[in-house]
Amino acid sequence: MDVATLTASLQLAAPEVMLAVGAMALLMFGVFAGDRAAMLVNAAATLLVLAAGAAALFYVPADGGEAFSGSFVVDPLATYAKVLIAAMAAAALVLSSTYLQNEKLAKCEYPVLVVLAVLGMMMMVSSRDLIALYIGIELQSLALYVLAAFNRDSLRASEAGLKYFVLGALSSGLLLYGASLIYGFAGSTQFTEIAIASGEPSIGLIFGLVFLLSGLAFKISAAPFHMWTPDVYEGAPTPVTALFAAAPKLAAIVLIARTLFEPFPVLSDEWRQVLMAISALSMGVGAFGALAQTNIKRLMAYSSIANMGFALVPLCAGTLKGVEGMLIYMTIYVVTTTGIFACILAMRRREGMVEEISDLAGLSKTHPGLATALTVLLFSIAGVPPLAGFFGKLYAFIPAIEAGLYWLAVFGFLMTVVAAFYYLRLIKLIWFDEAEQPLIAAPREANLIAAGSALVVFPILILPFAAGPGLELISYAAGSLF
Amino acid sequence: MYEAIVFSPLAGAVVAGLFRKPLGPKPAMYLTTALLFVSALLSLFALYDVAFRGHEVTLQLFTWFAVGDFSADWALRIDTLTAVMLVVVTGVSSLVHLYSIGYMDHDPDQARFFSYLSLFTFAMLMLVTSDNFMQLFFGWEGVGLASYLLIGFWYKKPSANAAAVKAFVTNRVGDFGFALGIMAIYFTFGSVEFDVVFDAIAANAPVTPFGAEAAVPARDAVVPFLNWNVNAIELSAVLLFIGAMGKSAQFFLHVWLPDAMEGPTPVSALIHAATMVTAGVFLVVRCSPIYEHAPYAAMFVTAIGAVTALYAATVGLAQNDIKRVIAYSTCSQLGYMFFAAGVGAYGAAMFHLFTHAFFKALLFLGSGAVIHALHDEQDMRKMGGVWKKMPWTWGLMIVGTLALTGVGIPGTPIGFAGFFSKDRIIEDAFLAGEAGLDVGMLAFWMGVIAAFLTSFYSWRLIFMTFHGTFKGPASDFDHAHDAPWVMRGPLVVLALGAVFAGVLFYGPFVGKGQEGFWRESVYVAYEDHGDAAATDHGAAVAHDVSETETEDAAAIDDAADALEGAAAPAAVDAAETDAAVPDAAHAVVADAAHAADGGPPRYVEHHVPDWVLWAPFWVTLAGFVFAVLFYGLREGVGAAIAARGGPLHSFLFNKWYFDEIYDFIFVRGARGLGDLFWKGGDQGTIDRFGPDGVAAATLLSGKRVAKSQTGYLYHYAFVMLIGVAAFATFLLFSARGG
């Protein structure tokens, strides 16, 4: 690899390079400045993540091409995902500042770990090689394991971190096993080479694909690889959960799309069946599992399982419109879920954070603005028209129906109905029940992000301006897989 | 102007209703009352302008809906009939508003009350000004709604709620008939416009009912109904009358009216005496072209009216609640109006409606003053002797009673309002009966008997309430006093009406001036040929006119036009002076104006035998004498008779057991059926296997899923591995199979 190629590669990987270097710098600064500078580091990390997103958008040419001998790719899909990941991660960082201070968790490592996780996610969405894929996943996961257990004095947080780590290691094992099988039968780790080699699908390749897919499904907490999700969501500090719920899910599902469409078009009949099973199971587990929950973070964990199921529905179609539908759904989902977590972070009483859904009772009287925002977000995620979530589901189900997957679409509709119950129960609590003890004033950034995402999912405001160009953009991004 | 009449009550209702919190009760009260008085004054002018100066108009406001051929407009059709109703409605309503300022003084919810009252008035005005059946139906339902709201105004009282529901449900029965009637009319004529329908009937124009192959003359059109082919006009007439029966509390559908007395007394006066309950009479008169050509339906109307007049009067004998007595009296008087309309004496029906509004509102408001003074006591057995304490109320109630019982001297223009209108109805029924309409003769006799009973129970009410000794708590008696002037004023105005409305308006309504007064708004068929149906029908005969319909209609119009001009004021003047004598009026052979025109005389001599003329007088006197004997001279006679009355008294006291029978057949029957469908059908089948079952299964699954989340790491890892193994196995077999 000569200098020119290396320079070109580094230029394409500019956001990742920025994050990597920035993370080191912040770590050094943090080590020397101590935890007093934690908030400063947090702010700097936020800016860094945003700058990386901006670099991905403006600096790196969107149709950039390959780097590092074809193992790293920059295409519209990667760019779109990177920008969105950066935005969601930045939002999670902003949301965490007040919480960390209040909970005495304000340490320099926190933002650095988030930056490293973002780096991993960006690598995931850009990887076109099994090794790059694994590095991206591990980089992201290791950072997240630590973040889950960040409140190490808390038994629950430690338990959550440990469970996440052990199961994550198991899933990495599955993934690696699958990768080695694929390498063994296809003779290459590069997606393009695999695609050529898998012209003659063999059992070994199919097995490899199943293991690889299982490892990836763990990352989006799709059933039956979802078991860690409720425990980790509940145990981890809430801003970490907010981070978990949005950016990594997007990165992993984009990675799944790329890993299925690029190297295995020949095996699409096989992986579509697996994907359908995963999707239906996730929708079912997510919808039913949340019914009995009383902790709002646990409830959101099941909600995210169900939503991943919904996001997989269009992918099962195996078409361009399917990828588009997935991207639309995920975009709306990450915005909505970040907004909801902003509201959860606003649930604070004098003695500390509260997480029971009954604590939301009477929110409409004590915090009318927050209550309105949360209601809009919940209606949206439940799929009530005319909110964005409805259109997300619409675009998710149409490709499946067009591909003839009626039973999957019908099952999805039914699970939407079941899931609507617990969202509506929250709304009922907010508006019709009496508060036992009011929440104290919410931090400003939580209010801002809640209100912002509520406005975004309120399509009357954005549809006329954003719908056309937005859909075009997503279509452009999805097109890079075909 | 007409817009102002109709819409100012609405404005009052909206402002008082929506802004009652910021405005507070006082402004809401004064605003609605003031708007109503504006409306009432304009209505008086409207009556003068329309009825005496002939300025009829129809204002099209805007289109309500137009679906295919089916369209309806919002319109204000102002003719004499409407103008009379405008005066009655706004007049009584404004006085009741004023009275309520005093009566509702201590109520915490005055603004709501006045808002409802004004809303009612608006709906009633929409009803009377409509020029099509759809708007009529809107007003019809609107007054029903307002009535429901006002009967249940004290919604914390279970009995008031029950009464409100009963009124609403009973009216639904009637409204069902009414709606079917409108459908039958649309089915036949393809329109719901009054003008289109009435003109088609009057001219016997060809119409094409839906599904008919060819056009047929309107009066011969048939519609299929319950597998029969029925004459369309007869069917529409009967169905519309069923609506009128509900609204006007006629026999079979009367059960709600006595219970409606649970509402505040001003409501009883306005809605359940003077205005809403007369909507049915208005409907029949408005649809006079239909009833004129539906002889059997008209006989049905006559029969129901006559039976109601008698039935309600008998029940009124045995009631002890002061308001219920008056309610049954209202029911009975409405029966008079209906049988008048049934025999074709539309003018007389409207005349009685007009005078009745004054004296019945007076009686209700007077009884309200008594109830108010005695701390909401309504049982006459706990009253007595209060005339000294409240002389004004006593005097005014006496005036109302004299007007209701129709005291007057036949053959002279001396008498109270009811004398002119009720006696005229009885005479018209007799004439119809004499001309061969059997049901007319039946109505005459029932009317006479009812007049006797009316006199008896009315005086019984006066004696039990005002005379004898007081039987309630002594403190109540000491505190009893006349109502304040805000309540007394309306009573005095109504009392003036109860005394003079008859003598002043006899001419225009039913006397010499009637043709110039009603003009086109009331239709009377003229037939001289031997059409069996027509001779059966009293209308044609009662007025004993010789004229063929179509070709001579033009001549009538000419005559009417002539009257509208210069002759009208003269006719009115004449009516108010000499023609006001009923006897004289009956003897008038033909109107001079007609004679001069050479046109055919429209209203000719009413030869009523003297005994018929005097019969109401004597029975009224007899009723008074009996009341004096039983209740006036010595207390306890009436009570003793009641106690020893045995089955007859129980029969009357329990209102002929109508409530019990209805309860047994309809309420319990419906409830049993409902229980069957509810418990067996809905809960047992649909809910159990439908929503409830699915919900329970869903919740159970939710708990299972949550339970599977054990928290043990090895469970989690196990599930993951099972998943991988399952997928791999599945693909292995499917790959082999494929």
Side-chain angles (χ1 to χ4, degrees), chain A residues 15-17 19-20 23 49 52 72 82 85 89 112-127 131-144 219 247-248 250-252 255:
Chain A
E16 287 79 2
V17 174
L19 288 173
V49 169
F72 187 93
K82 281 179 193 175
I85 287 167
V112 174
L113 284 166
V114 173
V115 172
L116 287 173
V118 173
L119 172 59
M121 294 175 214
M122 289 195 172
M123 285 195 62
M124 281 160 73
V125 297
S126 270
S127 62
I131 297 192
L133 174 152
Y134 182 69
I135 291 174
I137 284 183
E138 283 308 289
L139 188 52
Q140 177 233 27
S141 298
L142 280 169
L144 294 184
K219 299 298 171 199
L250 179 69
L255 179 62

Side-chain angles (χ1 to χ4, degrees), chain B residues 353-393:
Chain B
L353 187 160
F354 183 72
T355 57
H356 174 257
F358 287 105
F359 57 72
K360 193 50 64 69
L362 171 64
L363 285 172
F364 261 119
L365 295 182
S367 71
V370 175
I371 294 166
H372 200 61
L374 297 180
H375 298 100
D376 297 332
E377 182 55 64
Q378 299 195 12
D379 192 336
M380 292 192 296
R381 286 170 298 186
K382 295 184 183 152
M383 299 177 183
V386 291
W387 70 276
K388 277 168 285 185
K389 286 285 186 179
M390 32 201 327
W392 275 90
T393 312

